Amino acid sequence: MTTSTTSTAPDPGAAPEPAAPDPSPPPRPRSQAHYQGMVLLAVCCLALGGVFVRISEIGPVATGAYRSLFAVPLLLGMSVALSRNAGRTAKGARPASGEAPAKQARVTPRDRFLIVLGGLFLAADLCLWNISFLYTSLAEANLLANLVPFIIAPLLFFLFGDRIPWKLLFPALLALGGLYILVILGTGLDPRHLRGDVLALLTAVFYALFLVVTKGLRERYEATRIMATLSLACAAACFVVAAVLGESLWPTTAKGWLVLIALAATSQVLGQTLMAHAVKFLRLQLAAVYVLLQPVAAAAYGFVLFGQQLSWIQLAGIAILLISIFWAKNLLEGRS
Protein backbone atom coordinates (compact mmCIF):
# COMPACT_ATOMS: atom_id res chain seq x y z
CA MET A 1 0.00 0.00 0.00
CA THR A 2 1.35 3.39 -0.87
CA THR A 3 0.64 6.53 1.09
CA SER A 4 -0.99 9.48 -0.61
CA THR A 5 -0.65 13.18 -0.03
CA THR A 6 -3.50 15.41 1.03
CA SER A 7 -2.14 18.45 -0.80
CA THR A 8 -4.49 20.11 -3.25
CA ALA A 9 -2.06 22.70 -4.63
CA PRO A 10 -2.59 23.70 -8.28
CA ASP A 11 -0.32 22.53 -11.06
CA PRO A 12 2.79 24.78 -10.93
CA GLY A 13 3.11 24.57 -14.72
CA ALA A 14 -0.31 26.10 -15.33
CA ALA A 15 -0.39 29.92 -15.60
CA PRO A 16 -3.29 31.78 -13.97
CA GLU A 17 -5.71 33.84 -16.02
CA PRO A 18 -5.51 37.41 -14.72
CA ALA A 19 -8.48 38.58 -16.81
CA ALA A 20 -10.96 36.18 -15.18
CA PRO A 21 -9.81 35.19 -11.71
CA ASP A 22 -11.75 32.50 -9.88
CA PRO A 23 -13.65 34.26 -7.08
CA SER A 24 -13.98 31.08 -5.05
CA PRO A 25 -11.03 30.18 -2.81
CA PRO A 26 -9.20 26.91 -3.50
CA PRO A 27 -10.38 23.92 -1.45
CA ARG A 28 -8.52 23.58 1.81
CA PRO A 29 -6.65 20.31 2.28
CA ARG A 30 -8.02 18.15 5.05
CA SER A 31 -5.80 17.84 8.11
CA GLN A 32 -4.20 14.63 9.32
CA ALA A 33 -6.43 14.84 12.39
CA HIS A 34 -9.47 14.53 10.10
CA TYR A 35 -8.25 11.23 8.65
CA GLN A 36 -7.09 9.97 12.05
CA GLY A 37 -10.59 10.59 13.38
CA MET A 38 -11.99 8.74 10.37
CA VAL A 39 -9.78 5.72 11.13
CA LEU A 40 -10.83 5.76 14.78
CA LEU A 41 -14.49 5.76 13.76
CA ALA A 42 -13.79 2.88 11.35
CA VAL A 43 -12.09 0.89 14.13
CA CYS A 44 -15.06 1.44 16.45
CA CYS A 45 -17.44 0.26 13.71
CA LEU A 46 -15.36 -2.84 12.91
CA ALA A 47 -15.17 -3.81 16.58
CA LEU A 48 -18.99 -3.80 16.80
CA GLY A 49 -19.12 -7.12 14.92
CA GLY A 50 -18.87 -9.22 18.06
CA VAL A 51 -21.50 -7.13 19.84
CA PHE A 52 -24.11 -7.73 17.14
CA VAL A 53 -23.28 -11.44 17.00
CA ARG A 54 -23.95 -11.73 20.74
CA ILE A 55 -27.31 -9.93 20.63
CA SER A 56 -28.52 -11.47 17.36
CA GLU A 57 -31.71 -13.54 17.49
CA ILE A 58 -30.23 -16.16 15.17
CA GLY A 59 -27.04 -18.21 15.47
CA PRO A 60 -23.54 -16.80 14.98
CA VAL A 61 -22.95 -18.53 11.64
CA ALA A 62 -26.32 -17.42 10.24
CA THR A 63 -25.57 -13.89 11.44
CA GLY A 64 -22.31 -13.98 9.49
CA ALA A 65 -24.19 -15.22 6.42
CA TYR A 66 -26.47 -12.18 6.44
CA ARG A 67 -23.47 -9.90 6.98
CA SER A 68 -21.93 -11.15 3.74
CA LEU A 69 -25.24 -11.34 1.87
CA PHE A 70 -26.20 -7.74 2.63
CA ALA A 71 -22.82 -6.58 1.32
CA VAL A 72 -23.41 -8.10 -2.15
CA PRO A 73 -25.86 -5.45 -3.51
CA LEU A 74 -23.55 -2.64 -2.40
CA LEU A 75 -20.51 -4.25 -4.03
CA LEU A 76 -22.43 -4.97 -7.23
CA GLY A 77 -23.63 -1.37 -7.36
CA MET A 78 -20.06 -0.12 -6.90
CA SER A 79 -18.86 -2.48 -9.63
CA VAL A 80 -21.53 -1.27 -12.09
CA ALA A 81 -20.74 2.38 -11.29
CA LEU A 82 -17.02 1.81 -11.82
CA SER A 83 -17.67 0.00 -15.13
CA ARG A 84 -19.87 2.84 -16.40
CA ASN A 85 -17.30 5.43 -15.36
CA ALA A 86 -14.57 3.46 -17.14
CA GLY A 87 -16.80 3.22 -20.23
CA ARG A 88 -17.37 6.99 -20.30
CA THR A 89 -13.64 7.57 -19.90
CA ALA A 90 -12.88 5.16 -22.75
CA LYS A 91 -15.41 6.89 -25.03
CA GLY A 92 -13.92 10.29 -24.29
CA ALA A 93 -10.38 9.12 -25.06
CA ARG A 94 -9.30 8.42 -28.60
CA PRO A 95 -7.94 4.84 -28.86
CA ALA A 96 -4.44 4.50 -30.23
CA SER A 97 -3.89 2.82 -33.65
CA GLY A 98 -7.61 2.50 -34.28
CA GLU A 99 -8.08 -0.16 -31.60
CA ALA A 100 -11.30 -0.42 -29.63
CA PRO A 101 -11.19 0.38 -25.93
CA ALA A 102 -10.21 -2.59 -23.78
CA LYS A 103 -13.13 -4.35 -22.11
CA GLN A 104 -13.15 -5.89 -18.67
CA ALA A 105 -11.47 -9.28 -18.75
CA ARG A 106 -13.74 -12.32 -18.70
CA VAL A 107 -13.33 -14.63 -15.74
CA THR A 108 -11.60 -17.87 -16.71
CA PRO A 109 -12.78 -21.28 -15.39
CA ARG A 110 -9.65 -21.51 -13.23
CA ASP A 111 -10.36 -18.11 -11.69
CA ARG A 112 -13.99 -19.10 -11.08
CA PHE A 113 -12.67 -22.00 -9.03
CA LEU A 114 -10.36 -19.63 -7.13
CA ILE A 115 -13.26 -17.26 -6.45
CA VAL A 116 -15.33 -20.08 -4.96
CA LEU A 117 -12.32 -21.31 -2.97
CA GLY A 118 -11.72 -17.80 -1.65
CA GLY A 119 -15.38 -17.55 -0.69
CA LEU A 120 -15.13 -20.83 1.23
CA PHE A 121 -12.03 -19.64 3.09
CA LEU A 122 -13.81 -16.38 3.92
CA ALA A 123 -16.84 -18.35 5.12
CA ALA A 124 -14.65 -20.50 7.38
CA ASP A 125 -13.02 -17.36 8.74
CA LEU A 126 -16.40 -15.74 9.46
CA CYS A 127 -17.98 -18.88 10.94
CA LEU A 128 -15.12 -19.57 13.34
CA TRP A 129 -14.76 -15.94 14.37
CA ASN A 130 -18.46 -15.45 15.10
CA ILE A 131 -18.61 -18.67 17.11
CA SER A 132 -15.52 -17.65 19.09
CA PHE A 133 -17.40 -14.61 20.45
CA LEU A 134 -19.63 -16.99 22.41
CA TYR A 135 -16.71 -18.57 24.29
CA THR A 136 -14.03 -15.92 24.74
CA SER A 137 -13.97 -12.17 25.28
CA LEU A 138 -14.53 -9.73 22.43
CA ALA A 139 -11.02 -8.33 22.99
CA GLU A 140 -9.29 -11.70 22.70
CA ALA A 141 -11.31 -12.77 19.66
CA ASN A 142 -10.45 -9.52 17.83
CA LEU A 143 -6.79 -9.67 18.86
CA LEU A 144 -6.12 -13.32 17.97
CA ALA A 145 -7.77 -12.86 14.58
CA ASN A 146 -5.18 -10.14 13.86
CA LEU A 147 -2.24 -12.57 13.97
CA VAL A 148 -2.41 -12.85 10.16
CA PRO A 149 1.13 -11.43 9.53
CA PHE A 150 2.69 -14.43 11.29
CA ILE A 151 0.66 -16.84 9.14
CA ILE A 152 1.00 -15.13 5.76
CA ALA A 153 4.81 -15.38 5.66
CA PRO A 154 5.04 -19.20 6.12
CA LEU A 155 2.09 -19.71 3.76
CA LEU A 156 3.84 -17.77 1.00
CA PHE A 157 7.01 -19.76 1.66
CA PHE A 158 5.36 -23.20 1.41
CA LEU A 159 3.06 -22.31 -1.50
CA PHE A 160 5.24 -20.03 -3.62
CA GLY A 161 8.74 -20.36 -2.21
CA ASP A 162 8.89 -16.73 -1.02
CA ARG A 163 11.76 -16.12 1.36
CA ILE A 164 10.77 -15.56 4.98
CA PRO A 165 12.60 -12.49 6.36
CA TRP A 166 14.75 -13.72 9.21
CA LYS A 167 13.97 -10.57 11.21
CA LEU A 168 10.40 -11.82 11.51
CA LEU A 169 11.68 -14.44 13.95
CA PHE A 170 11.99 -11.89 16.77
CA PRO A 171 8.40 -10.56 16.74
CA ALA A 172 7.20 -14.14 16.19
CA LEU A 173 8.94 -15.28 19.38
CA LEU A 174 7.49 -12.27 21.19
CA ALA A 175 4.03 -13.20 19.88
CA LEU A 176 4.44 -16.76 21.16
CA GLY A 177 5.27 -15.36 24.59
CA GLY A 178 2.19 -13.13 24.46
CA LEU A 179 0.02 -16.07 23.41
CA TYR A 180 1.33 -18.17 26.30
CA ILE A 181 0.56 -15.40 28.79
CA LEU A 182 -2.88 -14.63 27.35
CA VAL A 183 -4.16 -18.10 26.48
CA ILE A 184 -2.43 -20.40 28.98
CA LEU A 185 -1.75 -18.25 32.05
CA GLY A 186 -4.64 -15.83 31.51
CA THR A 187 -7.40 -18.41 31.08
CA GLY A 188 -6.18 -20.94 33.62
CA LEU A 189 -6.76 -23.64 30.97
CA ASP A 190 -10.53 -23.21 31.22
CA PRO A 191 -11.83 -25.50 28.42
CA ARG A 192 -14.63 -23.18 27.33
CA HIS A 193 -12.36 -20.14 27.17
CA LEU A 194 -9.61 -22.10 25.41
CA ARG A 195 -12.13 -23.25 22.79
CA GLY A 196 -12.94 -19.63 21.95
CA ASP A 197 -9.26 -18.67 21.72
CA VAL A 198 -8.46 -21.61 19.45
CA LEU A 199 -11.37 -20.72 17.16
CA ALA A 200 -10.13 -17.12 16.98
CA LEU A 201 -6.64 -18.35 16.08
CA LEU A 202 -8.07 -20.56 13.33
CA THR A 203 -9.89 -17.47 12.08
CA ALA A 204 -6.51 -15.86 11.38
CA VAL A 205 -5.39 -18.98 9.49
CA PHE A 206 -8.39 -19.02 7.17
CA TYR A 207 -8.25 -15.27 6.61
CA ALA A 208 -4.60 -15.61 5.61
CA LEU A 209 -5.59 -18.36 3.15
CA PHE A 210 -8.32 -16.08 1.81
CA LEU A 211 -5.78 -13.28 1.24
CA VAL A 212 -3.35 -15.61 -0.54
CA VAL A 213 -6.05 -16.98 -2.87
CA THR A 214 -7.54 -13.59 -3.74
CA LYS A 215 -4.27 -11.69 -4.19
CA GLY A 216 -3.87 -12.69 -7.83
CA LEU A 217 -7.60 -12.31 -8.55
CA ARG A 218 -7.64 -8.71 -7.38
CA GLU A 219 -4.71 -7.94 -9.64
CA ARG A 220 -6.44 -9.39 -12.73
CA TYR A 221 -9.99 -8.18 -12.11
CA GLU A 222 -11.71 -5.15 -10.66
CA ALA A 223 -11.83 -5.53 -6.86
CA THR A 224 -15.54 -4.88 -6.19
CA ARG A 225 -16.54 -7.33 -8.93
CA ILE A 226 -14.48 -10.09 -7.33
CA MET A 227 -15.53 -9.24 -3.77
CA ALA A 228 -19.22 -9.31 -4.71
CA THR A 229 -18.89 -12.86 -6.02
CA LEU A 230 -16.72 -13.88 -3.06
CA SER A 231 -19.24 -12.45 -0.61
CA LEU A 232 -22.08 -14.32 -2.32
CA ALA A 233 -20.16 -17.62 -2.14
CA CYS A 234 -19.29 -16.88 1.49
CA ALA A 235 -22.94 -16.19 2.38
CA ALA A 236 -24.13 -19.39 0.66
CA ALA A 237 -21.52 -21.48 2.51
CA CYS A 238 -22.41 -19.87 5.85
CA PHE A 239 -26.12 -20.59 5.34
CA VAL A 240 -25.31 -24.25 4.63
CA VAL A 241 -23.14 -24.53 7.76
CA ALA A 242 -25.79 -22.77 9.86
CA ALA A 243 -28.44 -25.21 8.63
CA VAL A 244 -26.21 -28.20 9.41
CA LEU A 245 -25.59 -26.84 12.92
CA GLY A 246 -29.33 -26.43 13.42
CA GLU A 247 -29.25 -22.66 13.79
CA SER A 248 -32.32 -20.53 13.20
CA LEU A 249 -31.98 -18.89 9.77
CA TRP A 250 -34.79 -16.33 9.96
CA PRO A 251 -35.18 -13.55 12.57
CA THR A 252 -38.68 -13.52 14.05
CA THR A 253 -38.90 -9.85 15.12
CA ALA A 254 -38.16 -6.44 13.64
CA LYS A 255 -35.40 -6.04 16.25
CA GLY A 256 -33.70 -9.18 14.92
CA TRP A 257 -33.66 -7.76 11.38
CA LEU A 258 -32.44 -4.37 12.63
CA VAL A 259 -29.49 -6.07 14.34
CA LEU A 260 -28.48 -7.74 11.08
CA ILE A 261 -28.89 -4.51 9.11
CA ALA A 262 -26.88 -2.58 11.71
CA LEU A 263 -24.13 -5.24 11.57
CA ALA A 264 -23.87 -4.97 7.79
CA ALA A 265 -24.03 -1.16 7.83
CA THR A 266 -21.38 -0.68 10.53
CA SER A 267 -18.89 -3.55 10.39
CA GLN A 268 -19.23 -4.55 6.75
CA VAL A 269 -19.90 -1.23 4.98
CA LEU A 270 -19.10 1.84 7.07
CA GLY A 271 -16.06 0.43 8.88
CA GLN A 272 -14.39 -1.06 5.81
CA THR A 273 -15.18 1.95 3.59
CA LEU A 274 -13.89 4.55 6.05
CA MET A 275 -10.78 2.50 6.72
CA ALA A 276 -9.98 1.99 3.04
CA HIS A 277 -10.39 5.71 2.35
CA ALA A 278 -8.55 7.13 5.36
CA VAL A 279 -5.44 4.93 5.29
CA LYS A 280 -4.53 6.36 1.87
CA PHE A 281 -3.82 9.71 3.53
CA LEU A 282 -1.91 8.51 6.59
CA ARG A 283 1.58 7.16 7.11
CA LEU A 284 1.48 3.39 6.90
CA GLN A 285 2.95 2.85 10.38
CA LEU A 286 0.45 5.26 11.93
CA ALA A 287 -2.46 3.56 10.18
CA ALA A 288 -1.23 0.18 11.46
CA VAL A 289 -1.24 1.50 15.03
CA TYR A 290 -4.83 2.66 14.71
CA VAL A 291 -5.89 -0.69 13.22
CA LEU A 292 -4.49 -2.41 16.31
CA LEU A 293 -6.88 -0.37 18.45
CA GLN A 294 -9.72 -2.65 17.31
CA PRO A 295 -9.15 -5.14 20.18
CA VAL A 296 -9.07 -2.17 22.59
CA ALA A 297 -12.43 -0.95 21.32
CA ALA A 298 -13.78 -4.50 21.52
CA ALA A 299 -12.57 -4.74 25.13
CA ALA A 300 -14.44 -1.53 25.96
CA TYR A 301 -17.64 -2.86 24.35
CA GLY A 302 -17.28 -6.17 26.16
CA PHE A 303 -16.81 -4.48 29.53
CA VAL A 304 -19.65 -1.95 29.18
CA LEU A 305 -22.24 -4.19 27.48
CA PHE A 306 -21.46 -7.68 28.75
CA GLY A 307 -19.38 -7.15 31.90
CA GLN A 308 -16.33 -8.88 30.38
CA GLN A 309 -13.38 -8.07 32.62
CA LEU A 310 -9.74 -8.83 31.79
CA SER A 311 -7.20 -9.76 34.43
CA TRP A 312 -3.81 -8.07 34.67
CA ILE A 313 -2.22 -11.22 33.22
CA GLN A 314 -4.54 -11.09 30.21
CA LEU A 315 -3.87 -7.37 29.73
CA ALA A 316 -0.13 -8.08 29.80
CA GLY A 317 -0.52 -10.78 27.16
CA ILE A 318 -2.63 -8.47 25.00
CA ALA A 319 -0.03 -5.70 25.25
CA ILE A 320 2.79 -8.07 24.21
CA LEU A 321 0.75 -9.37 21.28
CA LEU A 322 -0.07 -5.85 20.10
CA ILE A 323 3.62 -4.94 20.14
CA SER A 324 4.58 -8.11 18.26
CA ILE A 325 1.90 -7.60 15.58
CA PHE A 326 2.90 -3.96 15.04
CA TRP A 327 6.57 -4.99 14.87
CA ALA A 328 5.83 -7.70 12.31
CA LYS A 329 3.69 -5.36 10.19
CA ASN A 330 6.49 -2.81 10.06
CA LEU A 331 9.03 -5.45 9.01
CA LEU A 332 6.82 -6.94 6.27
CA GLU A 333 5.68 -3.58 4.91
CA GLY A 334 9.21 -2.23 4.94
CA ARG A 335 10.39 -5.32 3.04
CA SER A 336 7.69 -4.88 0.38
Side-chain angles (χ1 to χ4, degrees):
M1 182 184 300
T2 57
T3 54
S4 174
T5 178
T6 59
S7 174
T8 56
D11 183 1
E17 299 181 8
D22 187 359
S24 61
R28 296 179 59 186
R30 295 187 185 274
S31 65
Q32 288 288 291
H34 171 83
Y35 294 108
Q36 292 174 21
M38 194 178 291
V39 171
L40 282 175
L41 179 58
V43 165
C44 293
C45 289
L46 291 170
L48 281 171
V51 174
F52 290 120
V53 169
R54 278 182 162 262
I55 65 176
S56 177
E57 288 183 356
I58 56 180
V61 176
T63 300
Y66 280 105
R67 172 177 174 170
S68 292
L69 183 63
F70 288 165
V72 173
L74 175 70
L75 291 167
L76 287 176
M78 292 173 63
S79 179
V80 170
L82 289 171
S83 298
R84 288 179 177 176
N85 184 54
R88 286 194 296 266
T89 304
K91 287 180 181 179
R94 180 174 298 177
S97 14
E99 294 180 357
K103 295 183 178 179
Q104 197 173 36
R106 295 185 62 180
V107 181
T108 64
R110 176 181 177 273
D111 285 344
R112 289 195 189 97
F113 169 76
L114 291 177
I115 290 172
V116 174
L117 184 62
L120 293 178
F121 284 145
L122 186 59
D125 155 68
L126 201 54
C127 291
L128 294 172
W129 197 36
N130 283 4
I131 295 174
S132 73
F133 290 128
L134 305 182
Y135 297 99
T136 188
S137 67
L138 300 186
E140 289 175 72
N142 278 272
L143 176 64
L144 296 175
N146 273 293
L147 292 175
V148 175
F150 299 109
I151 300 169
I152 284 285
L155 273 179
L156 293 177
F157 172 76
F158 287 112
L159 295 177
F160 305 108
D162 285 11
R163 183 177 60 86
I164 300 178
W166 65 269
K167 291 182 179 179
L168 192 64
L169 174 65
F170 301 108
L173 291 175
L174 185 64
L176 287 175
L179 279 174
Y180 177 78
I181 293 174
L182 175 65
V183 177
I184 305 301
L185 299 182
T187 65
L189 296 179
D190 175 61
R192 180 180 176 85
H193 204 113
L194 279 175
R195 183 187 306 172
D197 287 345
V198 170
L199 291 174
L201 277 172
L202 288 175
T203 295
V205 174
F206 280 104
Y207 190 70
L209 288 169
F210 161 75
L211 291 177
V212 170
V213 168
T214 57
K215 181 179 183 297
L217 291 171
R218 297 179 76 173
E219 290 175 354
R220 294 191 292 276
Y221 307 103
E222 190 268 313
T224 54
R225 177 188 179 192
I226 294 301
M227 288 307 299
T229 312
L230 280 168
S231 296
L232 189 59
C234 173
C238 286
F239 276 124
V240 171
V241 174
V244 170
L245 294 178
E247 292 186 1
S248 174
L249 303 179
W250 197 262
T252 56
T253 66
K255 177 184 175 183
W257 284 108
L258 286 175
V259 167
L260 297 178
I261 294 171
L263 171 63
T266 55
S267 295
Q268 192 72 19
V269 177
L270 188 60
Q272 296 287 359
T273 303
L274 287 175
M275 182 67 71
H277 176 70
V279 295
K280 294 181 180 180
F281 302 94
L282 297 174
R283 291 179 61 247
L284 203 55
Q285 290 80 3
L286 181 61
V289 171
Y290 279 114
V291 170
L292 292 179
L293 291 177
Q294 184 174 331
V296 179
Y301 293 146
F303 176 75
V304 173
L305 299 175
F306 306 112
Q308 295 180 347
Q309 297 185 4
L310 298 172
S311 67
W312 286 107
I313 294 178
Q314 289 174 300
L315 290 173
I318 288 174
I320 292 173
L321 279 172
L322 288 174
I323 293 171
S324 67
I325 294 171
F326 178 64
W327 189 0
K329 281 180 177 288
N330 280 346
L331 288 176
L332 293 175
E333 289 162 355
R335 178 172 177 262
S336 62

